[in-house]
Amino acid sequence: MAQDEENILNIRLTRSEISEAKQAASLRWQLARASGVANQRRDNRSDGDIDLLGVKAEIAVAKILNLPYRASALGIDSGADIWADDIGIDVKSTFYQTGKLLFKSLDAFVAEYAILVTASDEEDVMRVIGGMGRDRFKTDAIEVDLGRGPCWVAAQDILTPIEDVWFGFTQWRLR
């Protein structure tokens, strides 16, 4: 089940951010394949599309939470795409507006928090849905097989709405 539309923030990326995302996605794809890192995607789209979606999602989350972010940062991340001081945030993206927060295993959720972002019908708009912490995911997620092997998912309707995520991170940072 999906979040109510009123709880979803549509974030419009600037032309500059789209350009940066395209460059970073291309470089990430090339470096990962050259390094022998297998693509762990669970989608049938082309590799470049999923990398671009991911970078655009990361930019959108950084904008909402007012966190520093560099799309051009190189190297394989440690499980966190964005940092709020010492709290790692894993940004998960999907092309499906009803998509779920997904990890291939419970152990794959290594950041402290994860946020789900979906594509929209517009290239420059990302739909930031909400998120949840690692401990809550491990208790509330369910194991399913979406056609590419078992994985763990949390439906949108059990995620904390992004406004509440923003408020929580803002309160925590101001302490």
Coordinates of all heavy atoms in Angstrom, one line a residue, residues 52-106:
L52 N 21.1 6.7 -12.5 CA 20.6 8.1 -12.5 C 19.5 8.3 -11.5 O 19.5 9.3 -10.8 CB 20.2 8.4 -13.9 CG 19.6 9.8 -14.1 CD1 20.6 10.9 -13.7 CD2 19.1 10.0 -15.6
L53 N 18.6 7.3 -11.4 CA 17.5 7.4 -10.5 C 18.1 7.6 -9.1 O 17.6 8.4 -8.3 CB 16.6 6.2 -10.6 CG 15.4 6.2 -9.6 CD1 14.4 7.2 -9.9 CD2 14.8 4.8 -9.5
G54 N 19.1 6.8 -8.7 CA 19.6 6.8 -7.4 C 20.3 8.1 -7.1 O 20.1 8.6 -6.0
V55 N 21.0 8.7 -8.0 CA 21.7 10.0 -7.7 C 20.6 11.1 -7.6 O 20.7 11.9 -6.7 CB 22.7 10.3 -8.8 CG1 23.3 11.7 -8.6 CG2 23.8 9.3 -8.9
K56 N 19.6 11.1 -8.4 CA 18.6 12.1 -8.3 C 17.8 12.0 -7.0 O 17.5 13.0 -6.3 CB 17.6 11.9 -9.5 CG 18.2 12.4 -10.8 CD 17.4 12.1 -12.0 CE 15.9 12.2 -12.0 NZ 15.2 11.9 -13.2
A57 N 17.6 10.7 -6.5 CA 17.0 10.5 -5.2 C 17.9 11.0 -4.1 O 17.4 11.7 -3.1 CB 16.7 9.0 -5.0
E58 N 19.2 10.8 -4.2 CA 20.1 11.3 -3.1 C 20.1 12.8 -3.1 O 20.1 13.4 -2.0 CB 21.5 10.7 -3.4 CG 21.6 9.2 -3.2 CD 22.9 8.6 -3.7 OE1 23.8 9.4 -4.1 OE2 22.9 7.4 -3.8
I59 N 20.1 13.5 -4.2 CA 20.0 14.9 -4.3 C 18.8 15.4 -3.7 O 18.8 16.4 -2.9 CB 20.2 15.4 -5.7 CG1 21.6 15.1 -6.3 CG2 19.9 16.9 -5.8 CD1 21.8 15.4 -7.8
A60 N 17.6 14.8 -4.0 CA 16.3 15.2 -3.4 C 16.3 15.1 -1.9 O 15.9 16.0 -1.2 CB 15.2 14.4 -4.0
V61 N 16.8 14.0 -1.4 CA 16.8 13.8 0.1 C 17.8 14.8 0.8 O 17.4 15.4 1.8 CB 17.2 12.4 0.5 CG1 17.5 12.2 2.0 CG2 16.1 11.4 0.0
A62 N 18.9 15.1 0.2 CA 19.8 16.1 0.7 C 19.2 17.5 0.8 O 19.4 18.2 1.7 CB 21.1 16.1 -0.1
K63 N 18.4 17.8 -0.3 CA 17.8 19.1 -0.3 C 16.7 19.2 0.8 O 16.7 20.2 1.5 CB 17.1 19.3 -1.7 CG 18.0 19.7 -2.8 CD 17.3 19.8 -4.1 CE 16.5 21.1 -4.2 NZ 16.2 21.4 -5.6
I64 N 15.9 18.1 1.0 CA 14.9 18.2 2.0 C 15.4 18.3 3.4 O 15.0 19.1 4.2 CB 14.0 16.9 1.9 CG1 13.1 17.0 0.7 CG2 13.2 16.7 3.2 CD1 12.2 15.8 0.5
L65 N 16.5 17.5 3.7 CA 17.0 17.5 5.0 C 18.1 18.5 5.2 O 18.7 18.6 6.3 CB 17.6 16.1 5.3 CG 16.5 15.0 5.3 CD1 17.2 13.6 5.6 CD2 15.4 15.2 6.3
N66 N 18.4 19.3 4.2 CA 19.4 20.4 4.2 C 20.7 19.8 4.7 O 21.3 20.3 5.6 CB 18.9 21.5 5.1 CG 19.8 22.8 4.9 OD1 20.3 23.0 3.9 ND2 19.9 23.6 6.0
L67 N 21.2 18.7 4.0 CA 22.4 18.1 4.4 C 23.4 18.2 3.3 O 23.1 18.3 2.1 CB 22.2 16.6 4.6 CG 21.3 16.3 5.8 CD1 21.0 14.8 5.9 CD2 21.9 16.7 7.1
P68 N 24.7 18.2 3.6 CA 25.7 18.3 2.6 C 25.7 17.0 1.7 O 25.5 16.0 2.3 CB 27.0 18.5 3.4 CG 26.7 18.0 4.7 CD 25.3 18.2 5.0
Y69 N 25.9 17.2 0.4 CA 25.9 16.1 -0.5 C 26.7 16.4 -1.7 O 26.6 17.5 -2.2 CB 24.5 15.7 -0.9 CG 24.5 14.6 -1.9 CD1 24.7 13.3 -1.5 CD2 24.2 14.9 -3.2 CE1 24.7 12.3 -2.5 CE2 24.2 13.9 -4.2 CZ 24.4 12.6 -3.8 OH 24.4 11.6 -4.7
R70 N 27.6 15.5 -2.2 CA 28.3 15.6 -3.4 C 28.0 14.4 -4.3 O 28.5 13.3 -4.0 CB 29.8 15.7 -3.1 CG 30.2 17.0 -2.4 CD 31.7 17.0 -2.3 NE 32.3 15.7 -2.5 CZ 33.4 15.2 -2.0 NH1 34.1 15.9 -1.2 NH2 33.8 14.0 -2.2
A71 N 27.3 14.7 -5.3 CA 27.0 13.6 -6.3 C 28.3 13.0 -6.9 O 28.3 11.8 -7.3 CB 26.0 14.0 -7.3
S72 N 29.3 13.8 -7.0 CA 30.5 13.4 -7.7 C 31.5 12.7 -6.8 O 32.6 12.3 -7.2 CB 31.2 14.6 -8.3 OG 31.5 15.6 -7.2
A73 N 31.1 12.4 -5.5 CA 32.0 11.7 -4.6 C 32.2 10.3 -5.2 O 31.3 9.6 -5.6 CB 31.4 11.5 -3.2
L74 N 33.5 9.9 -5.3 CA 33.8 8.6 -5.9 C 34.0 7.5 -4.9 O 34.3 7.7 -3.7 CB 35.1 8.8 -6.7 CG 35.0 9.8 -7.8 CD1 36.4 10.0 -8.5 CD2 34.0 9.5 -8.8
G75 N 33.9 6.3 -5.4 CA 34.1 5.1 -4.6 C 32.8 4.4 -4.1 O 31.8 5.0 -4.2
I76 N 32.9 3.2 -3.6 CA 31.8 2.5 -3.2 C 31.5 3.0 -1.8 O 32.3 3.1 -0.9 CB 32.1 1.0 -3.1 CG1 32.7 0.5 -4.5 CG2 30.9 0.2 -2.7 CD1 31.8 0.7 -5.6
D77 N 30.2 3.3 -1.5 CA 29.8 3.8 -0.2 C 29.8 2.7 0.8 O 29.8 1.5 0.5 CB 28.5 4.6 -0.3 CG 27.3 3.7 -0.5 OD1 27.1 2.7 0.2 OD2 26.5 4.0 -1.4
S78 N 29.8 3.1 2.1 CA 29.8 2.2 3.2 C 28.5 1.7 3.6 O 28.3 1.2 4.7 CB 30.6 2.8 4.4 OG 29.9 4.0 4.8
G79 N 27.4 2.0 2.8 CA 26.1 1.7 3.2 C 25.2 2.9 3.5 O 24.0 2.8 3.6
A80 N 25.9 4.0 3.6 CA 25.2 5.3 3.8 C 25.5 6.2 2.6 O 26.7 6.3 2.2 CB 25.6 6.0 5.1
D81 N 24.5 6.8 2.0 CA 24.6 7.7 0.9 C 24.8 9.1 1.3 O 25.5 9.9 0.7 CB 23.4 7.6 0.0 CG 23.2 6.2 -0.6 OD1 24.2 5.7 -1.2 OD2 22.1 5.6 -0.4
I82 N 24.2 9.5 2.5 CA 24.2 10.8 3.0 C 24.4 10.7 4.5 O 24.0 9.7 5.1 CB 22.9 11.5 2.7 CG1 22.6 11.7 1.2 CG2 22.8 12.9 3.4 CD1 21.3 12.2 0.8
W83 N 25.0 11.7 5.1 CA 25.3 11.7 6.5 C 24.7 13.0 7.2 O 24.8 14.1 6.7 CB 26.8 11.7 6.8 CG 27.4 10.4 6.5 CD1 27.9 10.0 5.2 CD2 27.6 9.3 7.3 NE1 28.4 8.8 5.3 CE2 28.2 8.3 6.6 CE3 27.3 9.1 8.6 CZ2 28.5 7.0 7.1 CZ3 27.6 7.8 9.2 CH2 28.2 6.8 8.4
A84 N 24.0 12.7 8.3 CA 23.5 13.8 9.2 C 24.4 13.7 10.4 O 24.1 12.9 11.3 CB 22.1 13.6 9.5
D85 N 25.5 14.4 10.4 CA 26.6 14.3 11.4 C 27.0 12.8 11.4 O 27.5 12.3 10.5 CB 26.1 14.8 12.7 CG 25.8 16.3 12.7 OD1 26.5 17.0 12.0 OD2 24.9 16.7 13.3
D86 N 26.7 12.1 12.5 CA 27.1 10.7 12.6 C 26.1 9.7 12.3 O 26.2 8.5 12.5 CB 27.7 10.4 14.0 CG 29.1 10.8 14.2 OD1 29.8 11.1 13.2 OD2 29.6 10.9 15.4
I87 N 24.9 10.1 11.8 CA 23.9 9.2 11.4 C 23.9 9.0 9.9 O 23.8 9.9 9.1 CB 22.5 9.8 11.8 CG1 22.4 9.9 13.3 CG2 21.4 8.9 11.2 CD1 21.1 10.5 13.8
G88 N 24.1 7.7 9.5 CA 24.2 7.4 8.1 C 22.8 7.2 7.5 O 22.0 6.5 8.2
I89 N 22.5 7.7 6.3 CA 21.2 7.6 5.7 C 21.4 6.9 4.4 O 22.2 7.3 3.5 CB 20.6 8.9 5.5 CG1 20.4 9.7 6.8 CG2 19.2 8.8 4.7 CD1 20.1 11.1 6.6
D90 N 20.7 5.8 4.2 CA 20.8 5.0 2.9 C 19.5 5.4 2.1 O 18.4 5.2 2.6 CB 20.7 3.5 3.2 CG 21.1 2.7 2.0 OD1 21.1 3.2 0.9 OD2 21.3 1.4 2.2
V91 N 19.7 6.0 1.0 CA 18.6 6.5 0.1 C 18.3 5.4 -0.8 O 19.2 5.0 -1.6 CB 19.0 7.8 -0.6 CG1 17.8 8.2 -1.5 CG2 19.3 8.9 0.4
K92 N 17.1 4.9 -0.8 CA 16.6 3.8 -1.7 C 15.6 4.4 -2.7 O 14.7 5.2 -2.3 CB 15.9 2.7 -0.9 CG 16.8 1.9 0.0 CD 17.9 1.2 -0.8 CE 18.7 0.2 0.1 NZ 19.6 -0.5 -0.7
S93 N 15.8 4.0 -4.0 CA 14.9 4.6 -5.0 C 14.3 3.5 -5.8 O 14.9 2.4 -6.0 CB 15.7 5.6 -5.9 OG 16.9 4.9 -6.4
T94 N 13.2 3.8 -6.4 CA 12.5 2.9 -7.3 C 11.8 3.7 -8.4 O 11.4 4.9 -8.2 CB 11.5 2.0 -6.5 OG1 10.8 1.2 -7.4 CG2 10.5 2.9 -5.7
F95 N 11.6 3.1 -9.5 CA 10.8 3.7 -10.6 C 9.3 3.6 -10.4 O 8.6 4.3 -11.0 CB 11.1 3.0 -11.9 CG 12.5 3.3 -12.5 CD1 13.5 2.4 -12.3 CD2 12.8 4.5 -13.1 CE1 14.8 2.6 -12.8 CE2 14.0 4.8 -13.6 CZ 15.1 3.9 -13.4
Y96 N 8.9 2.7 -9.5 CA 7.5 2.5 -9.2 C 7.0 3.3 -8.1 O 7.5 3.3 -7.0 CB 7.3 1.0 -8.9 CG 7.9 0.1 -9.9 CD1 9.1 -0.6 -9.7 CD2 7.2 -0.1 -11.1 CE1 9.6 -1.4 -10.7 CE2 7.8 -0.9 -12.1 CZ 9.0 -1.5 -11.9 OH 9.5 -2.3 -12.9
Q97 N 5.9 4.1 -8.4 CA 5.4 5.1 -7.4 C 4.8 4.4 -6.2 O 4.7 4.9 -5.2 CB 4.4 6.0 -8.1 CG 5.1 7.0 -9.0 CD 4.2 8.0 -9.6 OE1 3.1 8.2 -9.2 NE2 4.7 8.7 -10.6
T98 N 4.4 3.1 -6.4 CA 3.9 2.3 -5.3 C 5.0 1.4 -4.7 O 4.7 0.5 -3.9 CB 2.7 1.5 -5.7 OG1 3.1 0.6 -6.7 CG2 1.6 2.3 -6.1
G99 N 6.3 1.6 -5.1 CA 7.4 0.8 -4.6 C 7.6 0.8 -3.1 O 7.1 1.6 -2.4
K100 N 8.3 -0.2 -2.7 CA 8.6 -0.4 -1.3 C 10.0 -0.2 -0.9 O 10.9 -0.2 -1.8 CB 8.2 -1.9 -0.9 CG 6.8 -2.2 -1.2 CD 6.6 -3.7 -1.1 CE 5.1 -4.1 -1.3 NZ 4.5 -3.7 -2.5
L101 N 10.3 0.1 0.3 CA 11.7 0.2 0.9 C 12.2 -1.3 0.9 O 11.6 -2.1 1.5 CB 11.7 0.8 2.3 CG 13.0 1.0 2.9 CD1 13.9 1.9 2.1 CD2 12.8 1.4 4.4
L102 N 13.3 -1.5 0.2 CA 13.7 -2.9 -0.1 C 15.2 -3.0 0.2 O 16.0 -2.2 -0.1 CB 13.5 -3.2 -1.6 CG 13.9 -4.5 -2.1 CD1 12.9 -4.9 -3.3 CD2 15.3 -4.6 -2.6
F103 N 15.5 -4.1 0.9 CA 16.9 -4.6 1.1 C 17.0 -6.0 0.7 O 16.1 -6.8 1.1 CB 17.4 -4.3 2.6 CG 17.6 -2.9 2.9 CD1 16.6 -2.1 3.4 CD2 18.9 -2.4 2.7 CE1 16.9 -0.7 3.7 CE2 19.2 -1.0 3.0 CZ 18.1 -0.2 3.5
K104 N 18.1 -6.4 0.1 CA 18.3 -7.8 -0.3 C 18.3 -8.8 0.9 O 18.0 -10.0 0.8 CB 19.5 -8.0 -1.2 CG 20.8 -7.7 -0.5 CD 21.9 -7.9 -1.5 CE 23.2 -7.5 -0.8 NZ 24.4 -7.7 -1.6
S105 N 18.8 -8.3 2.1 CA 18.8 -9.0 3.3 C 18.7 -8.1 4.5 O 18.9 -6.9 4.3 CB 20.1 -9.9 3.4 OG 21.2 -9.0 3.7
L106 N 18.4 -8.5 5.7 CA 18.4 -7.7 6.8 C 19.8 -7.1 7.1 O 19.9 -6.0 7.6 CB 17.8 -8.4 8.0 CG 16.3 -8.8 7.9 CD1 15.9 -9.6 9.2 CD2 15.4 -7.6 7.8

